[in-house]
């Protein structure tokens, strides 16, 4: 009898563990996609994309299986100066009328610390796809602190801060910009 119980216990332990993969979506009101570039060695200029959507599928027990897909509306660029916004959207840079979306799709995730990871993938801009890596920090996971006051915030949330640098040379911009630095802050809610 003892052998049967031991065998049953070992068989149970050998069964694969099915962790729960969750899907999170960015909250538009709490997502910022900022970018900056060297303006001919004179200044560092900054802008922001006002419209973006990110979808994260993640199994907390297996971070390496996570996937991230982010789409940014190219025409939503905002630098705080309308003539510059128009120029950035033009054929000299984003060609926003022909390529309305800037997209990042992950290909791998590597945990680098207790709350940090490198999310490697491909970014497509102006129809050109290049490799890119986001350095990501997990800021919050679980119930949203504001949920006790506002029902919208009930549920499971994650908060992230991410940075990346992307060489613009492959995109064929009309003027040399060098490296674009990105800084992303987002709150994502489980669907």
């Amino acid at each position: 009898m003892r052998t049967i119980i031991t065998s049953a216990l070992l068989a149970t332990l050998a069964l694969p563990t099915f962790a729960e993969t969750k899907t999170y979506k960015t909250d538009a009101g709490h997502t910022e996609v900022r970018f900056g570039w060297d303006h001919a060695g004179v200044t560092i200029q900054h802008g922001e994309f006002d419209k973006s959507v990110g979808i994260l599928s993640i199994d907390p027990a297996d971070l390496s299986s996570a996937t991230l897909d982010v789409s940014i509306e190219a025409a939503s660029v905002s630098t705080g100066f309308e003539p510059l916004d128009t120029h950035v959207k033009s054929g000299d840079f984003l060609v926003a009328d022909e390529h309305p979306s800037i997209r990042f799709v992950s290909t791998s995730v590597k945990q680098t610390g207790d709350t940090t990871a490198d999310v490697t993938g491909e970014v497509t801009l102006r129809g050109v796809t290049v490799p890119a890596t986001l350095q990501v920090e997990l800021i919050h996971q679980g119930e949203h602190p504001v949920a006790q006051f506002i029902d919208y915030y009930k549920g499971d949330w994650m908060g992230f801060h991410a940075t990346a640098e992307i060489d613009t040379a492959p995109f064929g911009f009309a003027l040399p910009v060098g490296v674009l630095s990105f800084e992303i802050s987002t709150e994502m809610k489980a669907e």
Side-chain angles (χ1 to χ4, degrees), residues 33-95:
V33 179
R34 296 175 296 279
F35 65 99
W37 68 96
D38 183 328
H39 185 247
V42 178
T43 60
I44 301 296
Q45 291 192 287
H46 297 92
E48 184 171 336
F49 290 100
D50 295 330
K51 295 182 182 176
S52 62
V53 174
I55 305 290
L56 171 68
S57 292
I58 187 168
D59 172 358
D62 182 14
L63 187 63
S64 66
S65 69
T67 61
L68 176 64
D69 190 335
V70 178
S71 291
I72 299 167
E73 188 177 306
S76 73
V77 67
S78 175
T79 64
F81 184 60
E82 182 59 36
L84 182 55
D85 295 350
T86 301
H87 192 204
V88 170
K89 293 177 208 178
S90 77
D92 285 349
F93 297 106
L94 298 181
V95 197

Side-chain angles (χ1 to χ4, degrees), residues 8 23 27 31 36-37 43 45 61 66 90 100 105 114 125 136 142 159 169 172 188:
T23 300
D27 180 67
T31 298
W37 68 96
T43 60
Q45 291 192 287
S90 77
V105 178
D114 290 343
L125 178 109
V136 179
M188 303 181 88

Side-chain angles (χ1 to χ4, degrees), residues 2 5 13 16 31 46 61 66 83 86 99 109 112-113 121 123 125-126 137-138 141 161 163-164 170 173 177-178 180:
R2 184 174 184 187
I5 293 172
L13 293 174
T31 298
H46 297 92
T86 301
H99 302 284
V109 176
T112 57
V123 64
L125 178 109
R126 286 178 57 124
E137 179 182 8
L138 174 66
Q141 182 177 8
H161 181 261
T163 59
F173 290 169
V177 174
L180 282 178

